[in-house]
Amino acid sequence: MLETEYRYRDSSMPCETSADAQTLRNLVLKFVSHSNYMQVDCQPIVSTFSGESCTFGHENVTHGWNSEFVGHPDLQGKIRFVPSFFIDPSTFGSFDDVMDGDFNWNSGWPIHVTTDFVRNLISEEPVENTHSFLATTSSNNDASAIDLSLCSVQNTFNQTIGSSESDLKHVQNLAALSESISSRDGTSKPTYMAAVSPWFFTHYGEDSYDKNFIYLSDQHLYLKRWESLIATRDQVDIVQILTWNDYGESHYIGPIKGAQPNSQAWVDGMDHTGWLDLTNYYATAFKTGSFPSIEKDKLIMWSRTHPTHATAPDPVGQPTNYELFEDAIWAVVMTTAPSTVVISTSSQDSETFDVPAGLTKLSVSISPGDGMQGTISRDGNTIVTLNPSNFTFERNPKVYNFNAFVASASAD
């Protein structure tokens, strides 16, 4: 699948003239005939990041995309165009001569859950309506701290993290394309492509891309999002994992290799490949409808490297929405039989869990100076030990880094 990118500040492809469209068509034609290129209904998939403002020199966006791309003789009838246009889904019908489907990029995260959104929830919360949860604002007197233990906050997190609500809204509005697609391509079903992502943090200053914010990624976002997609797999045609190597936004699941977009300050040393085992497990379930059997015991853990409310001599400043993160270690245990799991943050602090066979989500709080260690034991024998020596939860970081440090280990 080919995905072209149209961003406001760091645009990788212009789209103002007919010549820009020719460049794009040439790029598409270079790859779509390859035997390994992804197809749906025997048509190569082409997608975008943005592009809802592109005119290619025409009087409006739809005419530009139709005349210069999907309806141009070079490509007409040869591709299935499933763009990620950042538009209100209720307006899909106005793109019926352009879109063969929709890629819902922002469905990978609960993007509407911002600091202001949570503060509004708290302002309506009865003072006594709290419960015990991971302490995220202790050991600091930051006036910006948010009490994430409030019931209204936790209920909202539970309802929105990984939710399929956005998917269902997009799928419903795609019906407006059916008649046009049927007459154009001989099929009446628009293609819906959903997103799944493990994380989001970007930290560019005003002198660079001017992007410094996070999306809420705690509470096993990656797993919960996959589980929602599996539950609605009859309505989702394709799932795109965001991403393999977008280091600048911290949602890479592949190894850190090659050039980076000046993201070394928050990417170097922050391996994410431990998420690959989870990707294989959930992607298999989405494709087949059944979760695969777990044949090897595995432990995956991740955390940030400093407290949410730590201060750093960082000129870029704290990222927008940073208050939403919890000081926690998130863990996933994949076991072949009932087991005992111990997660430790120091020689004095540990928690023990009895887990069944299968996949279990766990979490423990973490404090400045702590590390992370975990074991899986069964019948008195330690089967898996995970002890990343290069991780410390720093009290005084040099820069703000809300990326995830991911570690994993499996049985021999």
Side-chain angles (χ1 to χ4, degrees):
M1 181 181 72
L2 182 66
E3 184 170 316
T4 57
E5 184 169 321
Y6 297 94
R7 294 181 187 249
Y8 170 64
R9 292 185 180 273
D10 50 332
S11 177
S12 53
M13 296 197 72
C15 56
E16 298 176 352
T17 69
S18 180
D20 294 335
Q22 180 66 64
T23 300
L24 177 58
R25 293 196 304 272
N26 291 343
L27 178 65
V28 171
L29 290 168
K30 179 180 179 180
F31 293 101
V32 293
S33 61
H34 195 284
S35 59
N36 291 336
Y37 196 94
M38 181 179 178
Q39 296 188 353
V40 170
D41 295 332
C42 299
Q43 291 181 313
I45 291 283
V46 177
S47 187
T48 71
F49 178 92
S50 193
E52 67 279 355
S53 299
C54 295
T55 62
F56 299 110
H58 290 259
E59 64 269 21
N60 58 56
V61 172
T62 55
H63 194 204
W65 277 108
N66 182 273
S67 299
E68 298 290 345
F69 194 67
V70 296
H72 191 277
D74 287 352
L75 295 178
Q76 187 173 21
K78 299 177 183 178
I79 64 171
R80 193 160 185 83
F81 189 47
V82 185
S84 177
F85 288 164
F86 295 98
I87 57 177
D88 186 334
S90 66
T91 66
F92 283 168
S94 62
F95 289 82
D96 63 348
D97 60 349
V98 172
M99 295 170 56
D100 295 310
D102 165 55
F103 172 30
N104 188 1
W105 176 281
N106 281 338
S107 64
W109 312 270
I111 63 170
H112 68 285
V113 182
T114 64
T115 298
D116 288 342
F117 178 88
V118 172
R119 286 205 173 103
N120 287 335
L121 286 177
I122 292 175
S123 69
E124 302 171 359
E125 177 82 1
V127 174
E128 70 278 4
N129 195 20
T130 62
H131 63 87
S132 177
F133 195 71
L134 287 173
T136 64
T137 61
S138 61
S139 71
N140 73 79
N141 296 312
D142 191 336
S144 67
I146 294 176
D147 185 356
L148 299 179
S149 70
L150 292 171
C151 287
S152 60
V153 178
Q154 283 304 306
N155 288 339
T156 297
F157 283 6
N158 290 336
Q159 293 167 9
T160 58
I161 294 176
S163 169
S164 60
E165 181 179 355
S166 173
D167 304 298
L168 300 178
K169 182 178 181 180
H170 279 241
V171 169
Q172 180 181 19
N173 282 281
L174 278 174
L177 304 179
S178 295
E179 184 176 346
S180 178
I181 291 175
S182 179
S183 62
R184 185 167 66 243
D185 300 330
T187 176
S188 61
K189 186 180 185 302
T191 299
Y192 177 65
M193 180 158 59
V196 61
S197 184
W199 208 258
F200 193 109
F201 163 64
T202 186
H203 194 54
Y204 293 104
E206 294 181 359
D207 59 343
S208 181
Y209 297 132
D210 195 16
K211 292 166 43 178
N212 183 30
F213 62 94
I214 65 105
Y215 291 146
L216 178 60
S217 307
D218 274 350
Q219 300 199 30
H220 301 98
L221 165 69
Y222 196 42
L223 285 73
K224 291 180 179 179
R225 177 62 180 152
W226 269 117
E227 289 162 3
S228 290
L229 292 169
I230 292 165
T232 56
R233 61 187 294 272
D234 59 328
Q235 300 185 67
V236 179
D237 300 296
I238 305 170
V239 174
Q240 184 171 161
I241 300 168
L242 304 178
T243 57
W244 178 255
N245 62 354
D246 190 334
Y247 307 119
E249 295 181 349
S250 307
H251 43 62
Y252 53 95
I253 63 170
I256 302 170
K257 297 174 65 175
Q260 292 188 42
N262 297 321
S263 55
Q264 290 89 336
W266 62 93
V267 170
D268 285 357
M270 306 292 278
D271 183 76
H272 286 184
T273 55
W275 281 328
L276 289 175
D277 284 332
L278 298 176
T279 303
N280 180 65
Y281 180 77
Y282 280 103
T284 299
F286 176 81
K287 290 189 286 186
T288 66
S290 300
F291 283 97
S293 59
I294 294 173
E295 299 180 351
K296 182 181 287 189
D297 297 285
K298 298 175 183 178
L299 176 59
I300 305 105
M301 300 194 297
W302 61 94
S303 179
R304 291 174 294 100
T305 56
H306 64 72
T308 298
H309 294 275
T311 57
D314 184 343
V316 179
Q318 293 164 309
T320 301
N321 300 323
Y322 78 94
E323 301 95 332
L324 301 179
F325 274 118
E326 302 178 17
D327 293 344
I329 293 173
W330 306 97
V332 178
V333 187
M334 305 174 75
T335 47
T336 58
S339 307
T340 298
V341 177
V342 178
I343 299 178
S344 307
T345 56
S346 70
S347 58
Q348 295 82 30
D349 297 298
S350 65
E351 293 191 37
T352 300
F353 306 87
D354 291 323
V355 302
L359 184 146
T360 304
K361 307 180 190 80
L362 302 171
S363 62
V364 301
S365 60
I366 189 170
S367 300
D370 284 350
M372 68 164 72
Q373 181 177 355
T375 60
I376 301 175
S377 301
R378 189 180 305 122
D379 300 327
N381 298 313
T382 299
I383 300 167
V384 175
T385 298
L386 176 57
N387 186 18
S389 59
N390 55 336
F391 173 83
T392 301
F393 201 60
E394 299 180 80
R395 182 182 301 274
N396 300 304
K398 296 180 181 178
V399 296
Y400 293 115
N401 189 350
F402 285 74
N403 194 0
F405 176 96
V406 185
S408 65
S410 59
D412 296 331

